[in-house]
């Protein structure tokens, strides 16, 4: 009887450890995913901010070379933005 109880106790402890390990790994993966999501969001925000600045410069009549120097955007991207926001 004691042998059976000991075996069940070991099985129970092993299951508990497996559950804790699983929960730990899931929480760690969740944190990595959240950090990656934040990083992607920051990159998108920076890109949008740079493109917004470029569009403002386009509206003000700035030359492509000046906008490229100010924003580090390619001349091709600036020309694409020009098509999206004609000068008023």
């Amino acid at each position: 009887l004691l042998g059976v109880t000991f075996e069940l106790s070991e099985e129970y402890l092993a299951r508990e450890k497996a559950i804790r390990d699983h929960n730990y790994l899931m929480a760690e993966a969740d944190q990595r995913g959240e950090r990656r999501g934040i990083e992607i969001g920051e990159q998108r925000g920076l890109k949008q901010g740079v493109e917004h600045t470029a569009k403002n410069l386009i509206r003000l009549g700035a030359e492509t070379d000046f906008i490229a120097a100010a924003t580090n955007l390619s001349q091709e991207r600036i020309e694409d933005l020009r098509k999206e926001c004609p000068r008023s």
Side-chain angles (χ1 to χ4, degrees):
L1 184 63
L2 288 177
V4 171
T5 304
F6 181 74
E7 287 176 19
L8 291 175
S9 174
E10 291 229 339
E11 286 178 30
Y12 174 79
L13 292 175
R15 276 196 307 270
E16 286 293 311
K17 182 182 181 316
I19 291 169
R20 278 194 312 274
D21 290 348
H22 172 78
N23 290 341
Y24 173 79
L25 292 173
M26 293 302 290
E28 192 174 89
D30 187 49
Q31 289 174 354
R32 280 195 315 268
E34 185 176 334
R35 283 192 302 268
R36 182 67 181 133
I38 290 169
E39 182 181 308
I40 290 170
E42 288 174 347
Q43 290 170 355
R44 286 182 186 165
L46 288 172
K47 179 182 177 190
Q48 288 174 349
V50 167
E51 290 184 352
H52 180 76
T53 299
K55 287 179 180 181
N56 284 340
L57 291 169
I58 290 167
R59 287 186 193 98
L60 292 170
E63 296 295 322
T64 300
D65 289 339
F66 176 79
I67 298 169
T71 62
N72 288 324
L73 291 174
S74 70
Q75 291 190 354
E76 293 81 18
R77 182 63 186 137
I78 294 165
E79 292 307 318
D80 289 342
L81 292 173
R82 272 189 201 284
K83 294 172 188 170
E84 293 176 20
C85 68
R87 288 175 28 191
S88 37

